[in-house]
């Protein structure tokens, strides 16, 4: 089963219009040889999606949002719908990032509703799961991630969905799990996706690793079985580092 690797950048709450130069540079560096090997997307703040779509249009670089509301529209001040992200030029949206689960109390049920909204709007959801340090230390990492997969993936989701395994303790800390732990978790995640969606679909779902991916460790992390790409935070803010990570697939 061949899955097209996906390298996705999550800019979080960073980026002003001046940062569009980085997206332009990423688009320019995303050449045919790399395009043949991996898909590249950037998820800037929502304010930059429409201008980024213009800046990136000639390079084949895709765009995504970082969150969406479950509803299509309505009285939800300050929120943004999946349809709006799509209209602005996004083709993906991250849902259930641990920062949203922690800062905004997003439960698995909420994440699942957001993933369903993304699919309704024609966006591909990148559904994030991952254990905290305390949960790993207590030996609960697999159990926690298994439950998040069960609760956060819509039962009828198509095989195009993306799941990102992001251990919370590895995000922005410079720490990463051992390659053996990554291999164990990704194999387990694929099993749980199969239990949720069925075998045919599970084999096609891409499972990204996220958490302190850098140019220096990208190659070894991307080389682990069942790792189908990366979700990159801090190192996706500059074209230089992001493209050096994507180069793992050259
Ligand atoms: C993230 O926020 O999704 C992430 C993986 O961050 P970082 O790469 O900075 O650890």
């Amino acid at each position: 089963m061949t899955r097209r690797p996906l390298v996705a950048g999550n800019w979080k709450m960073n980026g002003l219009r001046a940062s569009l130069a980085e997206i332009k540079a990423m688009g320019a560096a995303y050449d045919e040889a790399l395009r043949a090997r991996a898909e590249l997307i950037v998820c800037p703040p929502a304010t930059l999606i429409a201008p980024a779509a213009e800046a990136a249009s000639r390079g084949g670089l895709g765009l995504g949002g970082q969150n969406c509301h479950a509803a299509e529209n309505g009285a939800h001040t300050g929120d943004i719908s999946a349809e709006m992200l799509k209209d602005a030029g996004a083709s993906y949206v991250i849902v259930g990032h641990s920062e949203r689960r922690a800062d905004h109390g997003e439960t698995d049920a909420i994440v699942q509703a957001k993933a369903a909204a993304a699919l309704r709007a024609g966006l591909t959801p990148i559904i994030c799961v991952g254990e905290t340090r305390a949960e790993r230390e207590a030996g609960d990492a697999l159990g926690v991630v298994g439950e998040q997969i069960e609760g956060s993936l819509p039962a009828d989701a198509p095989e195009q969905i993306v799941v990102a395994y992001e251990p919370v303790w590895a995000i922005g800390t410079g720490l990463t799990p051992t390659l053996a732990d990554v291999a164990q978790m990704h194999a387990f995640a694929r099993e749980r996706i199969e239990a949720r969606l069925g075998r045919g679909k599970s084999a096609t779902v891409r499972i990204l690793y996220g958490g302190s991916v850098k140019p220096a460790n990208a190659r070894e992390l991307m080389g682990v079985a069942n790792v189908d790409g990366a979700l990159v935070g801090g190192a996706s803010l500059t074209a230089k580092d992001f493209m050096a990570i994507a180069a793992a697939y050259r």
Side-chain angles (χ1 to χ4, degrees):
M1 168 54 58
T2 52
R3 293 178 291 269
R4 182 164 157 78
L6 172 65
V7 180
N10 171 18
W11 278 19
K12 313 192 187 201
M13 199 171 72
N14 297 292
L16 302 173
R17 275 182 296 173
S19 321
L20 291 169
E22 295 297 330
I23 291 180
K24 233 180 219 167
M26 290 170 191
Y30 186 32
D31 58 31
E32 227 177 287
L34 186 53
R35 259 183 273 165
R37 294 186 175 269
E39 184 178 356
L40 241 67
I41 69 163
V42 183
C43 305
T47 48
L48 291 184
I49 291 176
E54 272 176 42
S57 64
R58 273 177 298 149
L61 182 73
L63 293 165
Q66 299 175 12
N67 171 50
C68 66
H69 195 281
E72 191 175 338
N73 51 47
H76 303 288
T77 303
D79 275 312
I80 186 159
S81 72
E83 282 77 4
M84 291 168 181
L85 294 172
K86 170 100 176 162
D87 185 54
S91 47
Y92 285 82
V93 61
I94 298 168
V95 294
H97 191 282
S98 61
E99 287 154 12
R100 293 211 56 91
R101 289 180 186 260
D103 296 354
H104 300 272
E106 291 191 7
T107 61
D108 288 341
I110 291 172
V111 174
Q112 186 184 141
K114 291 182 175 203
L119 291 164
R120 175 193 69 215
L123 296 178
T124 299
I126 300 174
I127 304 168
C128 299
V129 296
E131 82 285 357
T132 62
R133 177 188 293 278
E135 288 162 345
R136 177 157 285 271
E137 285 173 357
D140 288 342
L142 295 177
V144 166
V145 169
E147 255 182 45
Q148 288 176 335
I149 288 173
E150 172 74 20
S152 306
L153 273 57
D156 58 351
E159 59 267 37
Q160 288 83 6
I161 64 161
V162 176
V163 171
Y165 168 57
E166 297 206 302
V168 179
W169 52 271
I171 295 179
T173 59
L175 303 173
T176 52
T178 64
L179 298 184
D181 283 345
V182 173
Q184 181 194 35
M185 184 59 88
H186 279 241
F188 172 78
R190 187 152 325 272
E191 272 174 37
R192 300 317 303 157
I193 294 167
E194 183 170 323
R196 182 76 176 146
L197 305 183
R199 175 179 279 279
K201 289 183 189 171
S202 161
T204 311
V205 170
R206 288 173 293 179
I207 308 176
L208 311 184
Y209 168 78
S212 295
V213 177
K214 304 271 182 276
N217 63 16
R219 236 186 122 136
E220 58 178 18
L221 285 164
M222 300 307 102
V224 174
N226 283 304
V227 174
D228 306 312
L231 181 53
V232 185
S236 71
L237 290 170
T238 64
K240 182 170 164 284
D241 282 351
F242 189 54
M243 297 314 291
I245 288 168
Y249 286 108
R250 279 195 185 278

